[in-house]
Amino acid sequence: MSGVHYHYKETISRMNKAIADYREGLLRITREYEAVYVRIDHSRRGAHGLADDTQQADSGRAKRILNWQSVFAKEWEKVAAANARSSAELLRTQPSLIDFRRDHPPMASRIPAHIALGSHQFFFEKLSCLVPCTVPFPLARPIALSEDNAAHQRLAHALLLRLLSALPPGQLELTLVDPLQLGQSLRPFLSLLKVTQLVPQQRVLTRSDEIEAALGTLTDEVEELIQHRLNDKAATWSAYNATHPSSALSYKVVLLSDVPEQLSDKSLWFLERLCENGPRCGVLPIITLDAERMEDGRYAKLRATLDASAMDFDALLAGTADAADGCDGLSFAYQPEQWPHQEVLEGFFSALAQACADKSRFSRTLPDLWTPFSKGASTGGGFDIPIGWTPAGEPVSLILGATASEHHALLAGKTGSGKSNLLHVLIHTLCEKYDPAELDLYLLDYKESTEFNIYAAPPLPHARLVATESDPEYGVTVLRHLVEELEGRARMFKNTGVRDFAEYRLTGLARLPRILLVIDEFQVLFSEKRQVAEAAEQLLSQLLKQGRSFGIHILLATQTLKGINAQSISSLITQLGSRIALACGQEDSAMILGGNNWAAAELRSPPEGIINNANGAKSGNVKFLIPLAEGAMCREHVGRLAAYAASPGARAKTRIFSGAYLPELPSPEALSALCAPNAIALGERLTFEADALIIPLARRAAFNVLFSGYDDQIHDGLLAATLSSIRFAGDFDEVVYFNGRGVVPGGGVPAAAAALGARFKAYDDIAALPLQAIADGIGTRRVALIIDGLDAEKALHPAPSFRPAKPGEPPSAADLLKRLAEEGPRKGTFVFVFVDRWQRCASACKDLLAFFELRAAYCMNEDDAGSLVSGGIGKFKGIEKPNRAVFVNRMTNEIAWFRPYIRKNPQ
């Protein structure tokens, strides 16, 4: 404990000594003159002479007393001056409330040793001395007041204001309870309710349930301090703070008016515990009692507790006066504090609010978590990932995969609670502590702000996958990939004769890494069509149940668990044994941490969080503070890790997936390898492996290709991919392109067409299109016919079946196109058709399109997509998004989601 130590007892002791010396001197003078009177009496002189001598002695005695009184007055003045000097520092740091200045409000920097609370005016005869009334801090006992004692109420306000000014900002928390007057008994302090650091509830509590919750929280904190922090070396709050100056605990005052109004049986029990144990733990109850109601037998135990442990203000203020006991003639009167002017008080409260806000800013940084790290940490025994510090300054870790730890984790918090920041803290700390060979990190982000982009460029060497703005379908493929990894490890462990990951690592065989899958906003997996949600649920369940044995761990993050549409979501959540809750509502807190555990509703966001590894029991709550993962520092850290991974011998393993961008068309060399001997490459499959979607140009009936959708970028990408693939797909003699859309294609189409050279022929007039020549050359020449905009060119739509052909009439363009589609594929000639609006030609070209068994759809509504895929009535969900397409082989019923290649226009 630091602060000014004002020794008022020394002043009073000096007063007592001065008075005692003064009285001794008076007695000495009296004794001396009594002897003089005796000598006069014995002289037996005449009456007249005796009277003269007596008169002379009386005069001398009076003069001696007057001189002695003057000496005593000077000594008293010395005592008063010494008192003024010794109390000056106290009054400088704790000026009288009426002396608060608007331009320089008092703001403490240290915990005080005493609290100044008014003064005592000491009197002796005509002399007086003003002695500050000081109370040792922290207060040793709770304070009990009577609600009908106005003086006590004023003193309670003065004490509260003194605590606000004498304790450093951020070192005091208030819990205010006023059930009858709804806060009006604390009217001077109501402007402080907006200061969260000072009044966490930000309101005066009035209802039974909220009073019970607040008292319960304080009781829990007292119990935690007694059981886990206080010991022989630090048996009290002040002693603990003296040994932990960097993480000092706040002093907490709970003011309760009109007790026992609105106090439930639990509240009474909590209040009794706080009265008995609170003061030594830095929790001070100040209780205003309704004396008449307290006579009820129901409150006998509380009365007994207060009688044994509490004191009133008279007892609190008696310390200074008690020191004057035993000194006859020394009297005193208590001088209460005068209340400051309102404008001065408002200035002080405004300055205090700003100081609390400044003090509450958490100053520790992310690299501070890494200072204890040494290189070469192993994941053989699990992950130990520091993520913050307790308010006492002790490190807090997320531990997964250890023998006595949990294996999977849930992280949740409302918008603005710091969830993304904590994910960054966890990822950076994990990668700083463990080598890339010890860890395979899978980052799957469904948040639109693309938080994980920072790990993509340059690639984070620990990451096997960085996926941002992911599709639910893609997430399912990642889960399926991990299940395959799990099954592969199961076979390997069986062959090796070990039971689990830890045992395998002890064998000294291959340095198998642990796997951590992080899914941000995982609820998106369950928000799509039922087929995707059911697959995600099944795969997640398998990984959660079996992953622990094979070194595969999962962290699921979300803003809220409410509204997640999964049949067994409660079963999934149960298997996430480690729960991390950030600031959220009471309902979410109970869902995240466990039933009736509402602690997360009281967190400040950011930087506070709660981690619980005790199945949600309140006793398992560990509150911690999270450092800021500042953007520039994170980018520098990823760059440093990536540079290390680029060193000789390091292996790059990161796969990047961005749902917001389509993949680039491969280089000619790569495309040549993909398309030989006779195929086209359209894009990347929507799978973890992201292998190319290859469409063989098999010589089979109806193996023509139909593309349908309305998105210029995807249209141009598919057209460019088709042209580029045809360049390497066997020995096509000619590529004939007809543009019926009336829109010049961009992207990579011009470059792909130019690369074909003289083999590429382009037409935009249907009359010039050499369909007859292509048809006549079936079997002798290989031609790729591309019809771009079938829906827009009515001349290519088959004539109605009721209109018979005239004798000798040449075949129409529609007839020739149908013949090419029907006869061409078996002899090496293929038709590729692009349709913008499916409804324009779905019915009219039904007979023609029956020869197109290979179909790709994109950016369509569900009904049109269902018609395109199945040829009948139905819906095909998920096709409307502009970042993917689906390929269907209607002959084999193969359905493959893919991301079409694109090529940006040259700048």
Side-chain angles (χ1 to χ4, degrees), residues 773-810:
I774 298 172
D776 292 342
I778 291 176
T780 61
R781 300 178 72 249
R782 292 197 69 200
V783 178
L785 173 62
I786 303 174
I787 304 297
D788 192 5
L790 175 66
D791 53 321
E793 185 51 70
K794 298 294 182 67
L796 295 176
H797 295 190
S801 56
F802 58 81
R803 177 173 169 266
K806 298 178 180 179
E809 182 180 14

Side-chain angles (χ1 to χ4, degrees), residues 417-754:
S417 64
K419 175 173 63 69
S420 296
N421 179 72
L422 180 53
L423 284 174
H424 288 306
V425 168
L426 185 149
I427 291 167
H428 283 273
T429 303
L430 185 68
C431 296
E432 176 67 20
K433 185 170 185 178
Y434 299 107
D435 188 88
E438 289 286 332
L439 164 67
D440 275 352
L441 188 60
Y442 290 74
L443 302 177
L444 195 57
D445 184 10
Y446 286 108
K447 193 172 183 180
E448 292 183 359
S449 60
T450 61
E451 288 292 341
F452 291 165
N453 273 345
I454 190 174
Y455 306 112
L460 182 68
H462 301 70
R464 282 291 306 279
L465 171 69
V466 177
T468 59
E469 294 193 55
S470 308
D471 292 295
E473 290 85 355
Y474 180 74
V476 170
T477 73
V478 175
L479 296 176
R480 188 170 290 115
H481 162 77
L482 287 173
V483 167
E484 292 170 358
E485 175 70 23
L486 182 150
E487 293 170 346
R489 291 187 174 195
R491 291 189 295 270
M492 183 168 58
F493 290 3
K494 183 178 180 180
N495 295 335
T496 311
V498 299
R499 292 175 300 175
D500 56 24
F501 182 88
E503 265 193 34
Y504 181 84
R505 287 295 299 266
L506 292 174
T507 63
L509 297 174
R511 193 179 177 188
L512 192 65
R514 279 194 187 267
I515 292 172
L516 178 62
L517 168 64
V518 179
I519 308 180
D520 194 11
E521 303 302 340
F522 78 95
Q523 74 280 358
V524 174
L525 285 169
F526 304 104
S527 65
E528 291 288 319
K529 54 190 178 183
R530 190 177 68 178
Q531 182 180 2
V532 173
E534 289 178 352
E537 191 173 342
Q538 179 184 357
L539 294 166
L540 259 181
S541 180
Q542 183 176 354
L543 289 169
L544 290 170
K545 290 176 181 177
Q546 301 178 19
R548 63 187 66 186
S549 298
F550 303 104
I552 299 175
H553 310 279
I554 295 175
L555 186 151
L556 301 181
T558 184
Q559 290 184 16
T560 178
L561 291 174
K562 292 182 289 190
I564 296 181
N565 183 23
Q567 294 181 358
S568 58
I569 188 64
S570 59
S571 175
L572 294 177
I573 298 304
T574 299
Q575 296 177 76
L576 300 166
S578 183
R579 312 288 179 81
I580 303 175
L582 305 177
C584 58
Q586 284 193 350
E587 183 180 356
D588 268 323
S589 178
M591 294 178 72
I592 299 162
L593 296 174
N596 299 322
N597 193 341
W598 305 304
E602 301 170 3
L603 294 174
R604 301 171 186 168
S605 57
E608 295 181 347
I610 289 174
I611 186 169
N612 187 300
N613 295 316
N615 295 317
K618 291 182 180 179
S619 59
N621 288 349
V622 177
K623 185 176 178 180
F624 68 104
L625 304 175
I626 307 159
L628 175 64
E630 194 272 325
M633 187 276 297
C634 289
R635 285 189 290 273
E636 185 276 332
H637 187 230
V638 172
R640 178 163 57 83
L641 293 172
Y644 166 78
S647 61
R651 176 179 61 89
K653 61 180 179 181
T654 308
R655 186 181 300 278
I656 307 298
F657 175 91
S658 176
Y661 302 97
L662 294 173
E664 286 276 344
L665 188 68
S667 65
E669 295 78 11
L671 204 58
S672 175
L674 291 173
C675 298
N678 204 6
I680 60 173
L682 297 181
E684 293 180 353
R685 289 180 182 269
L686 195 60
T687 63
F688 172 77
E689 291 77 11
D691 50 336
L693 177 67
I694 306 299
I695 309 301
L697 296 179
R699 298 197 177 200
R700 303 185 62 172
F703 256 44
N704 301 294
V705 185
L706 170 64
F707 302 96
S708 181
Y710 191 74
D711 183 284
D712 286 342
Q713 183 185 42
I714 295 179
H715 166 277
D716 293 349
L718 289 171
L719 178 55
T722 300
L723 291 172
S724 299
S725 297
I726 289 174
R727 176 185 173 192
F728 304 107
D731 52 350
F732 279 94
D733 299 293
E734 194 173 34
V735 178
V736 177
Y737 171 74
F738 172 70
N739 186 353
R741 298 173 74 220
V743 177
V744 178
V749 174

Side-chain angles (χ1 to χ4, degrees), residues 298-342:
R298 176 187 172 191
Y299 309 116
K301 192 171 181 181
L302 177 59
R303 288 201 312 272
T305 300
L306 292 174
D307 289 342
S309 61
M311 59 179 174
D312 62 17
F313 265 112
D314 294 333
L316 178 69
L317 303 176
T320 308
D322 287 346
D325 287 351
C327 183
D328 184 28
L330 184 62
S331 60
F332 60 88
Y334 176 71
Q335 303 292 326
E337 295 271 20
Q338 296 184 54
W339 198 250
H341 298 295
Q342 185 63 31

